[in-house]
Amino acid sequence: MDEEYDVIVLGTGLTECILSGIMSVKGKKVLHMDRNSYYGGESASITPLEDLYKRFNLPGSPPESMGRGRDWNVDLIPKFLMANGQLVKMLLYTEVTRYLDFKVVEGSYVYKKGKIYKVPSTEKEALASSLLSFMEKNRYRKLLQRVALYDENDPLTWDGFDPKKTTMRNMYEKCNLGKDVVDFTGHALALYRTDDYLDQPCLETINRIKLYSESLARYGKSPYLYPLYGLGELPQGFARLSAIYGGTYMLNKPIEEIVMENGRVVGVKSEGEVARCKQLICDPSYVSDRVQKVGQVIRVICILGHPIKTIADVNSCQIIIPQNQVNRKSDIYICMISHAHNVAAQGKYIAIISTTVETSEPESEIQPALDLLEPVEQKFVCISDMYLPVDLGTETQIFISRTYDATTHFETTCDDIKDIYRRMTGIDLDFEEMKRKQNDIFGEDEQKETK
């Protein structure tokens, strides 16, 4: 370990592993360490089920009705991948997809007045949806048409709006859309967590709706994908990419000190040895003095012996409870997956609830979501602090990732990855540069032969 690296990475969360892979592909000498004995950090998948009970300090062992412990891979952070989103593009360009298998999530739903409805995201679905009144269907269809035709570089498609100046609130008003329609458009299609977007230029919202529609168009059932065996497979896939390009990985490495000289990072001390570096990437848990708390997220993992009752014909889905439907400032999310994804025992389902904490009683905040899941065989409650770095890292050369938010997709995580890359290199991340070199195929074949 006593040698010099271009980049040292601390923590094997998805953000850190993707950046490690990118830096390795670009020819950087990378050392990647984690204090834990497993990959994934906060974004790990826990197996066997007995380990999940221990992690949450539950007494005893899982009951026999839960099946074999090894049949379970339970995500700590519930997320899906947008089929046409940034993370899928990163997986494709780096060819990390060769290590993973995915399934399409079977449905995307929204909560309204105590009931669950499929999110209408095409003109055909809008006309058929019971979520909309007869008058709303036509108005909403026109909004979808306007978004589908929109081209940022062609003012003729703007339909009288300036997307960089017209607010989304103004656009909704022009379309004469009611409050409930605005709710599910902004929160279930554009996937905003709060209503702050309403008074921002409509360009970002239009692009978000287009992303949802384009992702849906790829596979049909929903815009979301999920990896077999759990989300913990994602950081491991990018870790393997880094290793193929010469990256060094060390698990179970306690971090004793981040070594600084003249206000800049120069190395990391572990077990009495110092590995020197020019730049450091890490998650907030390694640098508590360099981050600030900005809130909390509550996540509740629920083990079910049944699918969600009102949509009983699916093995996986997302449900969004818009803030205004339950008198909150931020949405509540439910991700459900099952034995069909090799993450649970046969006949079992995992539903994970998440939201931003707003009161001193977080568990009562997610009650509307729990009501949809009853009966619950076992639940695991986690309330996590959210952190942001206190500086950009350009002076210290310490680049800190953001804590995972309550959203059920990876778009915000990918934005953080691109932001860190920009601060580290001074240039924007070009997906083309993530493409693997042709000459790494031999190394991969060699690796397969030595197994």
Side-chain angles (χ1 to χ4, degrees):
M1 196 179 113
D2 275 328
E3 53 184 297
E4 178 126 7
Y5 297 86
D6 295 311
V7 181
I8 292 179
V9 184
L10 303 181
T12 52
L14 180 61
T15 302
E16 289 73 34
C17 286
I18 290 177
L19 285 164
S20 174
I22 292 170
M23 292 301 172
S24 297
V25 169
K26 287 181 68 66
K28 301 289 186 182
K29 186 177 181 181
V30 176
L31 171 64
H32 202 146
M33 296 188 287
D34 195 316
R35 63 168 78 90
N36 297 313
S37 60
Y38 55 85
Y39 285 94
E42 290 302 309
S43 59
S45 300
I46 304 300
T47 186
L49 188 60
E50 289 80 1
D51 283 5
L52 189 69
Y53 272 64
K54 290 175 187 173
R55 187 182 182 93
F56 284 87
N57 298 314
L58 266 66
S61 300
E64 287 187 15
S65 61
M66 296 287 189
R68 295 185 309 170
R70 284 281 169 197
D71 288 340
W72 296 81
N73 290 282
V74 183
D75 300 329
L76 297 177
I77 304 288
K79 301 273 186 185
F80 291 145
L81 291 77
M82 298 289 285
N84 208 39
Q86 298 179 88
L87 181 52
V88 168
K89 289 176 182 174
M90 289 181 184
L91 287 162
L92 289 169
Y93 273 84
T94 56
E95 297 181 43
V96 171
T97 45
R98 68 173 75 178
Y99 315 132
L100 303 163
D101 290 307
F102 292 86
K103 273 197 170 184
V104 180
V105 174
E106 293 178 39
S108 180
Y109 299 85
V110 65
Y111 176 99
K112 177 186 173 185
K113 297 176 181 175
K115 295 183 178 180
I116 299 173
Y117 299 86
K118 189 175 189 307
V119 177
S121 54
T122 65
E123 293 176 42
K124 184 178 179 181
E125 286 184 348
L127 292 172
S129 176
S130 57
L131 183 63
L132 303 165
S133 69
F134 178 75
M135 294 297 291
E136 286 174 331
K137 287 178 179 179
N138 198 42
R139 294 171 191 154
Y140 182 65
R141 183 176 62 85
K142 287 181 178 177
L143 173 69
L144 292 178
Q145 286 176 335
R146 179 175 285 156
V147 169
L149 292 171
Y150 170 79
D151 179 349
E152 187 177 349
N153 299 313
D154 183 1
L156 294 176
T157 67
W158 295 359
D159 200 19
F161 293 99
D162 184 337
K164 295 182 180 178
K165 294 181 180 178
T166 304
T167 67
M168 199 62 208
R169 190 185 301 276
N170 292 149
M171 191 169 183
Y172 285 143
E173 288 171 353
K174 178 95 182 259
C175 295
N176 202 21
L177 295 176
K179 190 172 182 298
D180 287 343
V181 181
V182 169
D183 258 2
F184 81 72
T185 303
H187 295 266
L189 262 72
L191 301 174
Y192 285 107
R193 285 172 285 167
T194 70
D195 276 347
D196 294 346
Y197 79 97
L198 286 170
D199 296 308
Q200 302 295 323
C202 63
L203 175 60
E204 174 68 14
T205 304
I206 290 171
N207 286 333
R208 282 174 172 239
I209 296 172
K210 284 176 78 76
L211 171 61
Y212 188 100
S213 299
E214 289 164 0
S215 295
L216 180 69
R218 291 192 72 166
Y219 299 107
K221 289 183 179 179
S222 87
Y224 302 111
L225 302 174
Y226 183 81
L228 296 183
Y229 301 101
L231 295 174
E233 296 295 297
L234 293 170
Q236 289 190 64
F238 282 99
R240 185 172 178 183
L241 173 70
S242 176
I244 287 168
Y245 280 87
T248 301
Y249 274 77
M250 296 181 181
L251 300 180
N252 264 329
K253 291 290 286 184
I255 306 304
E256 295 161 4
E257 182 187 354
I258 293 173
V259 184
M260 306 290 291
E261 288 180 9
N262 301 318
R264 291 173 73 94
V265 66
V266 293
V268 173
K269 185 177 181 181
S270 174
E271 298 178 313
E273 295 182 300
V274 175
R276 298 185 69 81
C277 66
K278 302 183 181 93
Q279 294 181 308
L280 176 73
I281 300 168
C282 63
D283 72 49
S285 70
Y286 289 89
V287 283
S288 56
D289 59 329
R290 297 179 182 275
V291 294
Q292 59 180 340
K293 181 179 172 181
V294 292
Q296 291 183 308
V297 175
I298 179 171
R299 298 182 177 95
V300 182
I301 300 167
C302 300
I303 293 179
L304 313 177
H306 57 85
I308 296 172
K309 288 179 180 176
T310 50
I311 42 174
D313 59 338
V314 298
N315 288 315
S316 58
C317 68
Q318 175 187 253
I319 301 171
I320 294 177
I321 304 177
Q323 53 174 37
N324 293 325
Q325 293 293 322
V326 284
N327 298 313
R328 288 174 49 80
K329 295 176 183 175
S330 49
D331 296 350
I332 302 172
Y333 302 93
I334 302 171
C335 286
M336 187 190 77
I337 45 182
S338 69
H339 55 92
H341 306 86
N342 300 339
V343 295
Q346 188 64 33
K348 298 295 183 181
Y349 299 77
I350 302 170
I352 308 180
I353 304 166
S354 60
T355 192
T356 304
V357 173
E358 296 180 1
T359 71
S360 58
E361 298 180 357
E363 287 194 60
S364 65
E365 295 182 46
I366 52 92
Q367 193 59 48
L370 276 175
D371 290 343
L372 296 174
L373 305 181
E374 296 293 353
V376 175
E377 293 187 6
Q378 184 59 263
K379 68 178 182 179
F380 307 83
V381 180
C382 175
I383 299 169
S384 305
D385 293 336
M386 290 194 296
Y387 295 100
L388 291 179
V390 295
D391 61 62
L392 298 175
T394 47
E395 292 185 11
T396 61
Q397 291 298 292
I398 298 174
F399 301 93
I400 307 163
S401 61
R402 295 167 175 248
T403 310
Y404 298 100
D405 60 29
T407 59
T408 53
H409 57 80
F410 282 107
E411 294 307 297
T412 50
T413 301
C414 292
D415 288 341
D416 189 31
I417 290 164
K418 293 195 297 184
D419 183 47
I420 292 172
Y421 181 88
R422 187 184 306 113
R423 285 185 275 127
M424 288 184 72
T425 65
I427 59 174
D428 289 336
L429 176 60
D430 182 354
F431 284 2
E432 286 289 330
E433 290 187 6
M434 294 173 66
K435 281 189 174 178
R436 295 172 63 157
K437 315 292 188 298
Q438 291 301 311
N439 62 3
D440 83 334
I441 302 301
F442 171 77
E444 186 121 303
D445 288 342
E446 189 178 63
Q447 192 178 55
K448 286 176 183 174
E449 288 170 11
T450 60
K451 285 184 179 179

